[in-house]
Amino acid sequence: MTQHPGDVIVGSVVVTVTKPTKALRIKLTFLGQQRVYVRDMSNQASLLNYTNVDYTIFDKQLTLWGRDLGKDDTAANGPLETLQPGTMRVPFSIKIPRVNYPSSIKREKTCRVRYVIWATLERPGTFMDHTILTDKEEIHFEPIAYPTRPREALQINNTIYGTLETSTAHIAVVVTGGIVQLPAVAGDRVAYQLEARTQLDQRSVTNSGNQHLADINQCVIRFMRVYIVERLKARGLIKGMDHTQAYSKDIHAVTLIPTNSKPGKVSNSESVYSSNGHIRLPFDMCPFDSKQLERTYELRIECDVVDKSSLLDKMTRQKSTYTMHMPLEICTVSPDTFDAAAYQNAYTNESLNISSIALPPHHKAAAEPKVAVGGWELERSFIKWDRLNPTWVELARKRNTEYI
């Protein structure tokens, strides 16, 4: 399930026992935790000395039955309560404040943000208490990201220069066109119209410039691709020192089809590459900045240039890749309903508490969820156990079909 700031989570904890059972309590835990992997720069002996740093966003606990968490579990507090044979169902509700907690995310050896709910049954033991835990239920959280401007076209007019190590070092690629409907919401279809052409790199013009001009027509743009890149910046405190680690990952790639290409063909054989169409953005995109972890996105356009006049390039199928980058603004509120006043209020009015979460030094959230007893049902229910009555099982199943 996906939750947002201001939502309410409701559920129930179901406990079934077939004989009288003494217990301390039944408690509910709602945990928000953030983990980042950063490199310990103070240790230069190892190049792969990465350390995971955990931060607790919030840790809310509530006693649903039995002794309160604040009381001492000793005999001085009186006899323990007993769970009677049967099925007890205790409803609960969790109110999420209007705070932009970091989005749920999991990247292997990079970062992890998760929100989990589970229940615990605590029973007394001779030397230590015994606990029974339910499975941890993952809650997918997505913060609110307002657009900073209405939708508009992103104009592109960039010149990409080659590198000296390639056979096309004297060639530059000019990319023109635009991408419309930006900023965008995850899952949108973004329209584009791009054109790339090769030209002589004016910085490399020498006495042999005429020869270079003759070679331009032999340098063709074989492919043009668009990548959506996810960038993560992790910050962690190791041995009293702040460390920062940057990560990037291609989460989506599209090979643009030339406008005049034959059906089923995506390569090009000319020095000009034109294409138009739509790009479907991934659904799992949500920017945020929790001070310990920052998540942003960018567009990367790559053009593969091949020198047809080079015999070596033909034999080795060598190519030169020309790359350009540009930021990509992603939001969770549609820019079609952009309102400058609403945007300003959402980010400047402290009473709304919707701005990016700022964690104090102890790494606790400024506002935490409120956990209470009572959800769809206000009070807990109980079905008495009767082993001689087989309808008890069916009755329990009907009352708790989503849990049994």
Side-chain angles (χ1 to χ4, degrees):
M1 64 181 83
T2 300
Q3 303 295 334
H4 303 86
D7 287 353
V8 178
I9 304 173
V10 294
S12 297
V13 176
V14 179
V15 180
T16 300
V17 295
T18 58
K19 63 180 181 180
T21 304
K22 291 185 178 181
L24 292 172
R25 66 181 62 87
I26 300 173
K27 70 176 181 180
L28 182 74
T29 304
F30 184 30
L31 175 66
Q33 192 176 49
Q34 181 175 257
R35 169 176 292 182
V36 295
Y37 290 83
V38 293
R39 183 182 172 188
D40 187 1
M41 301 301 295
S42 62
N43 188 356
Q44 301 294 336
S46 175
L47 297 177
L48 301 177
N49 188 20
Y50 287 87
T51 304
N52 58 291
V53 183
D54 291 333
Y55 299 102
T56 299
I57 303 174
F58 54 79
D59 186 1
K60 300 297 294 183
Q61 299 183 9
L62 176 68
T63 300
L64 302 178
W65 177 91
R67 293 178 178 174
D68 293 336
L69 290 170
K71 292 185 177 180
D72 185 18
D73 299 327
T74 61
N77 292 320
L80 295 174
E81 295 189 47
T82 302
L83 289 171
Q84 298 301 322
T87 296
M88 181 174 61
R89 179 178 182 181
V90 185
F92 66 86
S93 64
I94 300 175
K95 172 67 175 179
I96 301 177
R98 288 181 59 84
V99 172
N100 271 347
Y101 298 128
S103 171
S104 299
I105 183 176
K106 183 178 180 180
R107 299 289 183 265
E108 191 69 23
K109 294 299 181 181
T110 303
C111 65
R112 185 189 67 186
V113 178
R114 66 172 185 167
Y115 304 89
V116 290
I117 301 176
W118 73 90
T120 306
L121 172 62
E122 297 183 6
R123 299 176 57 198
T126 304
F127 299 103
M128 60 183 301
D129 296 338
H130 303 288
T131 59
I132 301 176
L133 278 67
T134 63
D135 293 336
K136 295 184 178 181
E137 181 71 20
E138 293 273 355
I139 303 297
H140 188 275
F141 183 82
E142 184 179 273
I144 297 177
Y146 283 92
T148 59
R149 52 188 171 86
R151 290 190 193 269
E152 60 184 8
L154 175 63
Q155 302 294 332
I156 300 175
N157 187 6
N158 287 18
T159 301
I160 312 172
Y161 298 100
T163 58
L164 298 178
E165 294 79 10
T166 62
S167 59
T168 59
H170 61 286
I171 298 297
V173 175
V174 179
V175 180
T176 58
I179 301 177
V180 301
Q181 301 172 339
L182 293 180
V185 179
D188 279 356
R189 294 179 74 244
V190 179
Y192 69 89
Q193 183 172 357
L194 296 173
E195 179 180 282
R197 68 173 67 90
T198 59
Q199 71 175 24
L200 179 66
D201 186 353
Q202 299 297 328
R203 302 176 306 174
S204 64
V205 175
T206 58
N207 296 331
S208 58
N210 293 333
Q211 180 63 32
H212 286 164
L213 288 174
D215 294 339
I216 289 180
N217 294 330
Q218 298 296 323
C219 294
V220 301
I221 303 176
R222 187 70 70 185
F223 295 100
M224 183 160 60
R225 300 181 181 88
V226 174
Y227 295 85
I228 298 177
V229 184
E230 177 187 68
R231 291 198 171 274
L232 299 169
K233 181 183 291 186
R235 307 176 184 91
L237 191 66
I238 303 177
K239 299 177 182 178
M241 298 179 59
D242 288 324
H243 298 270
T244 303
Q245 191 71 37
Y247 303 90
S248 64
K249 178 182 179 182
D250 297 342
I251 60 175
H252 191 57
V254 178
T255 300
L256 306 186
I257 301 177
T259 305
N260 299 324
S261 65
K262 297 180 181 180
K265 186 178 180 181
V266 296
S267 61
N268 183 50
S269 58
E270 301 178 358
S271 59
V272 179
Y273 196 116
S274 299
S275 179
N276 60 77
H278 293 82
I279 299 174
R280 172 72 72 178
L281 299 180
F283 287 92
D284 184 19
M285 299 178 67
C286 185
F288 66 86
D289 185 0
S290 68
K291 310 307 177 185
Q292 278 75 45
L293 183 63
E294 182 181 0
R295 187 185 190 187
T296 57
Y297 300 92
E298 72 173 18
L299 281 175
R300 186 175 80 248
I301 300 178
E302 291 186 357
C303 299
D304 292 345
V305 179
V306 178
D307 186 1
K308 296 194 301 183
S309 64
S310 173
L311 179 61
L312 180 61
D313 285 2
K314 290 182 179 180
M315 296 176 60
T316 61
R317 297 183 180 273
Q318 185 179 356
K319 63 182 180 181
S320 302
T321 302
Y322 291 71
T323 305
M324 61 172 290
H325 303 261
M326 62 188 68
L328 174 62
E329 182 179 349
I330 299 295
C331 52
T332 58
V333 178
S334 176
D336 296 334
T337 58
F338 177 80
D339 183 1
Y343 169 78
Q344 291 295 331
N345 290 336
Y347 278 90
T348 60
N349 189 348
E350 294 295 337
S351 63
L352 293 180
N353 202 16
I354 201 66
S355 60
S356 296
I357 181 172
L359 303 181
H362 52 44
H363 307 299
K364 291 290 185 180
E368 297 184 347
K370 296 181 180 179
V371 186
V373 177
W376 296 116
E377 301 177 2
L378 297 179
E379 298 180 355
R380 66 190 183 196
S381 59
F382 179 78
I383 303 175
K384 187 177 180 180
W385 164 260
D386 186 359
R387 65 178 181 177
L388 299 179
N389 185 2
T391 61
W392 176 86
V393 177
E394 295 299 326
L395 180 61
R397 287 183 183 276
K398 291 180 181 179
R399 290 292 301 275
N400 307 289
T401 54
E402 66 271 35
Y403 301 100
I404 297 180

